[in-house]
């Protein structure tokens, strides 16, 4: 057991124990280490490395200056603009876009934290607001515990699904792609709204991800991988080697009970996807992970029970603030035929760049919301209203 902290009333092994060394947990550790180097941390991860097996990307507008300062050492690739492609619309937008890779994430977090602060290969058996028991029986006492170990009970939410398989490809010859393609929806529409996402990592290196907004969570990774390779071949890219693979299934939330979702993982302070902090439309959690990390760094002295209350209140407010995005998801999944879903995004990408930037950051203004739903919608208004009503009857939206 560690030394007693002043006023603690009992011995503590650390001040803050962070469960899960993925994006949310690692960013909290970095933010705490920057703001409060006096805080004794434990970052506990079940896997062998931090960050898992991911490429995370974000628009610079997703985070403020303080968030960019936190992310800066993690960034591995940068672009000044990006492109979208739809059957009736193609556009380049002058918004900075960045990518973070797991290996860099692991290296930066390890370099920043003291050697004894990180525990990998350590699965958690039980956790409370101030106590952790590992699978092997080891106990860790902390002033506060923060749980970042992935999603809670998704059965408490009414959701569609974003499914993807990503391949990092080494090509036999250089490609001619100057910027990322965030959405190429000119591809055949299969299993819901389908698009391909492409990142140029180097003259002969591409990351190609085949993505679906689908009604069901089942992912046939082998079939989707073949489609990603077929896309590459159709672009004239000859693949010499598949360097890296990743896959995932993310919830695209239409409705649900936030309170039930939070309680499904116990009365423990939470962050990241475990706290329900992800964009309802995109499923991505990086902007919220950054905001949570900065918030926690500013409340580092709170005991676990009080931190739990603060984080719950913050996440519950975030759920309420995101009701517009869940309404859009309801229209996407319940109001549009699967073959026509791309038209919703095609229309969206004709709007002003600043509006698009705020949308991805989860910071849409009321004027943005009005603009998104006004004009000639890609699905009939009556069908959209029925879709919203259908979603609301499936699961309660109360906290």
């Amino acid at each position: 057991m560690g030394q007693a902290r002043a006023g603690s009333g009992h011995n503590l092994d650390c001040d803050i124990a962070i469960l899960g060394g993925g994006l949310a947990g690692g960013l909290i550790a970095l933010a705490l280490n920057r703001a409060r180097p006096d805080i004794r941390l434990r970052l506990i991860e079940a896997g062998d490395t931090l960050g898992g097996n991911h490429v995370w990307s974000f628009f610079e507008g997703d985070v403020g200056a303080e968030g960019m300062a936190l992310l800066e050492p993690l960034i591995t690739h940068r672009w000044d603009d990006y492109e979208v492609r739809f059957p009736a619309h193609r556009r380049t937008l002058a918004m900075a876009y960045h990518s973070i890779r797991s290996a860099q994430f692991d290296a930066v977090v390890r370099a920043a934290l003291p050697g004894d602060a990180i525990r990998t290969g350590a699965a958690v058996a039980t956790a409370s607001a101030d106590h952790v028991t590992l699978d092997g029986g080891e106990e860790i006492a902390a002033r506060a515990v923060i749980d970042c170990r992935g999603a809670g009970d998704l059965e408490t939410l009414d959701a569609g699904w974003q499914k993807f398989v990503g391949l990092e490809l080494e090509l036999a010859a250089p490609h001619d792609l100057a910027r990322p393609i965030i959405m190429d929806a000119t591809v055949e529409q299969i299993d819901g709204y389908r698009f391909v996402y492409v990142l140029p990592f180097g003259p002969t290196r591409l990351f190609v991800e085949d993505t679906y907004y689908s009604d069901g969570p089942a992912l046939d990774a082998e079939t989707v991988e073949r489609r990603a390779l077929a896309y590459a071949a159709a672009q004239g890219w000859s693949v010499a080697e598949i360097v890296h693979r990743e896959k995932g299934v993310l919830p695209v939330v239409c409705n649900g009970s936030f309170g039930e979702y939070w309680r499904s993982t116990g009365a423990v302070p939470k962050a990241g996807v475990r706290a329900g902090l992800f964009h309802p439309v995109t499923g991505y959690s990086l902007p919220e992970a950054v905001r949570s990390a900065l918030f926690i760094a500013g409340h580092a002295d709170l005991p676990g029970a009080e931190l739990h209350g603060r984080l719950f209140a913050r996440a519950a407010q975030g759920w309420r603030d995101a009701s517009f995005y869940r309404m859009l998801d309801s229209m996407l999944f319940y109001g549009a035929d699967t073959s026509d879903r791309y038209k919703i995004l095609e229309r969206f990408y004709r709007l002003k760049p600043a509006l698009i930037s705020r949308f991805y950051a989860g910071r849409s203004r009321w004027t943005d919301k009005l603009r998104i739903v006004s004009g000639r919608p890609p699905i009939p208004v009556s069908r959209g209203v029925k879709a919203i009503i259908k979603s609301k009857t499936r699961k309660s939206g109360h906290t």
Side-chain angles (χ1 to χ4, degrees), residues 378-395:
I379 63 174
V381 172
S382 60
R383 189 188 298 178
V385 172
K386 289 179 181 177
I388 296 167
I389 294 172
K390 181 177 180 180
S391 174
K392 286 185 177 297
T393 61
R394 290 172 64 91
K395 291 189 185 291

Side-chain angles (χ1 to χ4, degrees), residues 20-22 43-45 47-52 56 102-103 105-106 109-110 118-120:
L43 180 58
I44 301 167
E45 164 59 36
D48 295 330
T49 60
L50 304 175
W56 296 288
S102 292
F105 183 87
D106 179 270
V109 177
R110 288 183 187 276
I118 298 173
R119 290 281 302 274
T120 55

Side-chain angles (χ1 to χ4, degrees), residues 23 49 73 118 197 202 231 264 342:
L23 181 66
T49 60
I118 298 173
Y197 168 78
Y231 175 87
S264 71
Y342 78 90

Side-chain angles (χ1 to χ4, degrees), residues 53 100 104 139 157 191 308 376:
N53 178 37
I100 296 169
Q104 175 77 356
E139 298 187 0
L157 306 177
D191 189 23
H308 174 266
R376 234 174 126 182

Side-chain angles (χ1 to χ4, degrees), residues 109-343:
V109 177
R110 288 183 187 276
L113 269 59
D116 63 350
I118 298 173
R119 290 281 302 274
T120 55
V124 173
T126 62
S128 69
D130 59 7
H131 189 270
V132 181
T133 303
L134 303 183
D135 269 353
E138 179 183 350
E139 298 187 0
I140 299 171
R143 176 163 35 77
V145 174
I146 304 171
D147 196 349
C148 308
R149 291 177 294 158
D153 182 6
L154 296 175
E155 291 296 319
T156 63
L157 306 177
D158 175 30
W161 304 94
Q162 183 186 163
K163 309 181 299 191
F164 60 89
V165 172
L167 305 175
E168 184 175 348
L169 306 175
E170 178 64 26
L171 306 181
H175 58 79
D176 59 355
L177 196 63
R179 60 185 62 85
I181 306 172
I182 299 303
M183 286 186 181
D184 186 346
T186 63
V187 296
E188 182 183 3
Q189 295 300 293
I190 304 169
D191 189 23
Y193 169 50
R194 177 190 175 215
F195 63 92
V196 178
Y197 168 78
V198 186
L199 302 175
F201 282 165
T204 59
R205 186 66 63 90
L206 290 173
F207 182 76
V208 178
E209 183 179 281
D210 208 311
T211 303
Y212 303 78
Y213 273 58
S214 175
D215 293 337
L219 176 62
D220 183 348
E222 291 184 4
T223 296
V224 179
E225 179 173 316
R226 287 195 295 270
R227 288 175 185 155
L229 291 172
Y231 175 87
Q235 308 307 306
W237 301 326
S238 177
V239 177
E241 181 185 1
I242 299 176
V243 178
H244 163 83
R245 290 177 170 89
E246 68 173 89
K247 61 183 179 180
V249 179
L250 304 176
V252 181
V253 179
C254 301
N255 198 17
S257 171
F258 174 78
E260 289 183 23
Y261 180 82
W262 181 281
R263 289 188 293 272
S264 71
T265 50
V268 185
K270 288 178 268 286
V273 175
R274 205 168 187 84
L277 294 173
F278 53 90
H279 197 299
V281 179
T282 66
Y284 296 147
S285 60
L286 186 144
E288 286 294 348
V290 170
R291 293 172 195 139
S292 293
L294 297 175
F295 177 86
I296 290 168
H299 296 78
D301 292 320
L302 294 179
E306 188 174 346
L307 184 61
H308 174 266
R310 295 283 187 96
L311 292 179
F312 173 78
R314 183 176 178 277
Q317 184 61 52
W319 172 271
R320 291 188 288 270
D321 291 343
S323 60
F324 173 77
Y325 302 120
R326 294 195 299 277
M327 179 195 74
L328 295 181
D329 291 341
S330 299
M331 296 177 70
L332 179 69
F333 284 99
Y334 298 128
D337 296 331
T338 55
S339 60
D340 292 333
R341 287 176 181 168
Y342 78 90
K343 295 178 182 178

